[in-house]
Amino acid sequence: MSEMVVPDGWEIKQLDKFCDKVTDGTHDSPKRKNSGIRLVTSKNLLASGKLDLSSAYYISEQDFVDIEKRSKVDVGDVIFGMIGTIGNPVVIYDLSVPFAIKNVALFKFSGDFDRARWVQYYLDSDEFKLHIERSQTGNAQRFVGLGFLRNTIIPAPPIEEITKIASILTSVDEVIEKTQSQINKLQDLKKGTMNELLTKGIGHTEFKDSPVGKIPVEWEVQEIESVINNLIDYRGKSPPKYSSGVPLLTAKNIRKGYIDSEPREFIEEDKFDSWMVRGIPTVGDVFFTTEAPLGNVALVPDYKFAIGQRVIALCPDVDKLNSVYLLYVLQGEIVKKQLFLDSTGSTVSGVKQSTFRKILILSPPLQEQQKIASILSSMDSHIEEKQRKLEQTQSLKKSL
């Protein structure tokens, strides 16, 4: 780590001098039990700073006692992943469900939450993460040793200042947690609303049987190929990539309803015409990933781009199909069940164009499609607004 500069009145200390004790959990593999005491590994430490015990397996009470002799976890301690998933420091606020630790570092503070939070924030900082990255060598499993952690230097303000800073950062964390909770609830609400709208529509009281279940009597079941004008497919082609030029959109960029600019890949400007010979999607068309991953969708953007591997573009017949409605239909359960299970019930990872064309979708009257699309788009806008607030608060925390 480069030479650390701190404000006047602060100190620079090794972690084992700042903490009461720095140790780690067992490196053995206690036998799994059907009941007993939970064993926490780095997989149970979440990036959100929370501890997830739901997937921690059970060990015997005797193994728990033996592990506690080396690394007894108390309220006010910090735990930190050492192998595989490195980091994700967690302050222990509650031990109503006891647990032991394996391949996890333990920083002890005798119940001093201010010092514990300070260490948690530092261990989760970009500076410390870079320090870890620089320590990793070769292609072996990622690992940080106890000696590395004990000898790590950290800035150490006076305790009064630690208390004030920890309080501010805790307040920011509370806003982050509350916003994330709101996002989760909105996403659950959207999922339920989407399923209701895409199968029962708006205000219907009469339903009929169909190949995909009960549907409103005014609706039709149609194959995708019957409601699109064209399907543009660049699968099997991989162009040379460059550091600048025309953005190349591949399956890696198509997410669940949107386009991610990362990873950024390009083709040369003068190669665009010779590459895009199978057709150029336009605004209003819908991208669909056919494998790795299967089933991600996004609306075609309004800028110049090229298409790469594992992506097709659907060009809706505007007299039959609203493109935003199609975007949501392709994410609905009826389409997913047809995509992800073959005739034997086994999960599949890709779909052929010939199979995809025969996928059945529900086709309400165009006006109702537009209403459904408008409702779901409005919900997405609300979620995106909360996401922006979350990102802004997370950026604020980093700047502090």
Side-chain angles (χ1 to χ4, degrees), residues 6-22:
V6 297
D8 291 341
W10 290 28
E11 296 180 83
I12 297 173
K13 290 187 177 182
Q14 288 186 183
L15 263 174
D16 62 349
K17 301 296 191 296
F18 185 83
C19 308
D20 294 347
K21 183 180 181 181
V22 179

Side-chain angles (χ1 to χ4, degrees), residues 100-287:
I101 55 175
K102 173 187 175 182
N103 296 331
V104 168
L106 175 64
F107 302 89
K108 301 194 69 67
F109 297 96
S110 303
D112 185 342
F113 282 101
D114 290 337
R115 280 194 299 146
R117 283 194 290 263
W118 179 258
V119 166
Q120 180 195 31
Y121 292 131
Y122 186 75
L123 295 179
D124 202 37
S125 67
D126 290 341
E127 179 179 354
F128 184 68
K129 289 175 182 177
L130 180 60
H131 180 45
I132 289 176
E133 287 300 320
R134 288 173 174 168
S135 74
Q136 302 298 298
T137 57
N139 296 318
Q141 184 180 35
R142 288 167 54 83
F143 167 78
V144 292
L146 193 57
F148 174 89
L149 294 173
R150 285 173 170 164
N151 294 328
T152 290
I153 58 172
I154 69 167
I159 189 61
E160 299 83 5
E161 196 165 349
I162 286 178
T163 300
K164 291 178 182 178
I165 295 172
S167 176
I168 293 169
L169 290 172
T170 298
S171 296
V172 174
D173 277 342
E174 288 171 352
V175 174
I176 290 173
E177 185 174 353
K178 180 180 178 181
T179 306
Q180 185 62 64
S181 177
Q182 292 172 338
I183 291 170
N184 294 341
K185 289 178 181 178
L186 287 170
Q187 288 174 333
D188 288 342
L189 176 62
K190 179 201 163 186
K191 183 177 180 180
T193 303
M194 185 168 154
N195 183 61
E196 185 79 8
L197 290 174
L198 294 180
T199 56
K200 297 181 180 179
I202 302 172
H204 294 280
T205 57
E206 296 184 28
F207 297 85
K208 64 184 179 182
D209 292 325
S210 81
V212 295
K214 293 277 189 182
I215 64 172
V217 293
E218 295 90 347
W219 289 22
E220 297 179 18
V221 177
Q222 296 180 304
E223 294 177 348
I224 283 182
E225 67 177 357
S226 70
V227 290
I228 60 174
N229 288 326
N230 193 17
L231 189 155
I232 300 171
D233 189 348
Y234 280 84
R235 287 181 300 170
K237 295 187 70 180
S238 181
K241 297 167 187 175
Y242 297 85
S243 58
S244 63
V246 178
L248 177 67
L249 301 180
T250 71
K252 292 178 285 187
N253 301 103
I254 312 303
R255 303 296 185 175
K256 295 184 184 300
Y258 68 96
I259 293 174
D260 190 339
S261 60
E262 298 293 340
R264 296 178 187 271
E265 297 177 325
F266 304 88
I267 67 169
E268 287 186 317
E269 181 76 40
D270 59 7
K271 298 287 196 307
F272 178 81
D273 290 336
S274 60
W275 173 254
M276 296 293 289
V277 293
R278 296 182 184 177
I280 300 175
T282 58
V283 173
D285 295 344
V286 178
F287 284 135

Side-chain angles (χ1 to χ4, degrees), residues 293-363:
L294 170 62
N296 282 359
V297 296
L299 292 173
V300 168
D302 60 355
Y303 55 80
K304 188 176 183 179
F305 60 86
I307 305 177
Q309 293 176 313
R310 306 188 303 277
V311 177
I312 59 177
L314 307 176
C315 311
D317 180 339
V318 295
D319 294 325
K320 299 178 180 178
L321 190 61
N322 177 277
S323 59
V324 180
Y325 173 78
L326 175 61
L327 180 81
Y328 290 113
V329 163
L330 293 174
Q331 298 174 74
E333 291 302 315
I334 289 175
V335 170
K336 283 183 180 179
K337 287 177 182 177
Q338 297 175 77
L339 278 175
F340 288 95
L341 295 178
D342 63 18
S343 59
T344 67
S346 300
T347 302
V348 298
S349 58
V351 63
K352 296 178 181 178
Q353 185 189 135
S354 58
T355 301
F356 181 80
R357 285 179 172 274
K358 299 298 181 182
I359 291 287
L360 300 177
I361 66 170
L362 298 185
S363 179

